[in-house]
Amino acid sequence: RTAPATGGGRCGRRACGSGMGVDKAAAAAGGAEKRLAGEEVEDGSGYGSGPKYWNKRYKKDPNPFEWLKGFSECKELIRQAAKGRLDCDILHVGCGNSPLPEAMYDAGYHRLVNIDTSSVCIEQMAERNRATRPEMQWSVMDATALTLEDCSFDVVLDKSVIDTFACGDHAPRVIATYLKEVQRVLRPGGVFLCISYGAPSARLEYFRSRHLEFDSRHEPLPPAEKCGSTHYAYVLTKPLAPRGAAAEFPKVLQEMSYLG
């Protein structure tokens, strides 16, 4: 499940990563860019062409798969993002079949909503956890067009979803839309915890777009093994009082349209 290393740049990928992660990048980014362009997203079966590809893949290989970091490595970051509260509302974006939410639930985080664009993945994970983790929620949803109410979550958790979009075409536009949605569903004072393989030089520009109001910090996450890569934790906090930046989104998107 490894793929050849690629160069840095906006994608920020500098070392080998999981084949699952690389495939997911192409699939999600392709659908999002079409949506931004106003096109119908085809549910095709080819590589990176949308949910049908992923549904087929999850049917073939339903075994849980983790990439980047697991709960043991993210536990303290999650505790800090939740401000020590086990009863906070958490949105886990692009959950895939990661064991992370199961470990979080077992640690006491029961108000956890997991979303992914693959209906097969969501059905598998919902069934897998139905009896043992009944309060956990699973929904088929697009991260760039969340069907969730404003200010409804205390924490939004992203583990390599932004990497997915950064490796696709029209990355600035797709990511700007995604982060606009993250900001919208977070409550004032809420935290967006983003675990990424992208270094600050390849990620901070996205978080500093003028339609966003996050106060941010970041820290490196050293590899568990000598041959591993350093990952990064980006902790972005929504201000208690809005500053009006969200109104700039249409202008930001229009300006980005000239990038292609």
Side-chain angles (χ1 to χ4, degrees):
R1 293 195 181 190
T2 58
T6 62
R10 289 183 180 274
C11 180
R13 192 173 190 86
R14 296 178 299 172
C16 294
S18 70
M20 178 76 80
V22 173
D23 287 356
K24 200 174 185 79
E33 69 183 63
K34 288 183 179 181
R35 222 171 267 104
L36 285 174
E39 300 177 25
E40 183 93 16
V41 179
E42 296 181 3
D43 193 19
S45 60
Y47 172 79
S49 61
K52 191 171 183 179
Y53 170 86
W54 282 102
N55 286 339
K56 182 178 180 180
R57 180 152 185 168
Y58 282 122
K59 284 180 181 178
K60 182 178 180 181
D61 184 9
N63 296 319
F65 179 79
E66 193 72 274
W67 53 84
L68 295 194
K69 303 294 183 184
F71 180 64
S72 62
E73 297 146 305
C74 299
K75 183 177 180 179
E76 180 57 21
L77 288 166
I78 293 172
R79 187 195 69 78
Q80 292 176 14
K83 299 178 174 63
R85 292 175 48 208
L86 293 176
D87 63 344
C88 66
D89 294 298
I90 301 176
L91 174 64
H92 180 203
V93 181
C95 61
N97 55 10
S98 164
L100 176 70
E102 298 172 339
M104 288 178 62
Y105 189 97
D106 294 345
Y109 297 99
H110 289 185
R111 298 173 67 87
L112 182 57
V113 176
N114 303 280
I115 66 169
D116 199 278
T117 56
S118 169
S119 60
V120 169
C121 167
I122 290 297
E123 289 167 7
Q124 288 174 346
M125 294 301 286
E127 181 59 31
R128 172 183 163 92
N129 291 281
R130 194 181 311 280
T132 55
R133 302 175 181 92
E135 297 174 66
M136 191 150 54
Q137 299 180 45
W138 305 87
S139 296
V140 178
M141 202 176 301
D142 173 7
T144 66
L146 298 174
T147 55
L148 299 166
E149 294 183 4
D150 296 357
C151 304
S152 52
F153 291 91
D154 301 295
V155 177
V156 174
L157 176 59
D158 169 339
K159 194 152 63 68
S160 208
V161 174
I162 197 167
D163 302 332
T164 300
F165 296 137
C167 289
D169 293 334
H170 309 295
R173 295 169 59 199
V174 174
I175 293 175
T177 304
Y178 167 52
L179 294 178
K180 180 263 296 183
E181 285 292 273
V182 169
Q183 180 172 258
R184 180 181 66 79
V185 301
L186 272 174
R187 292 178 177 133
V191 175
F192 174 44
L193 175 57
C194 178
I195 309 298
S196 170
Y197 57 66
S201 60
R203 292 292 177 268
L204 291 181
E205 61 178 310
Y206 296 126
F207 301 139
R208 292 171 176 168
S209 180
R210 72 176 189 273
H211 71 295
L212 303 174
E213 302 181 329
F214 294 119
D215 297 316
S216 67
R217 67 177 180 84
H218 59 274
E219 62 182 79
L221 303 175
E225 302 175 356
K226 290 183 179 180
C227 62
S229 300
T230 296
H231 299 138
Y232 300 86
Y234 297 92
V235 182
L236 291 83
T237 304
K238 184 175 178 178
L240 293 175
R243 303 166 187 161
E248 292 293 309
F249 176 69
K251 293 180 182 178
V252 169
L253 201 62
Q254 183 178 23
E255 291 167 2
M256 288 179 173
S257 67
Y258 296 109
L259 299 176

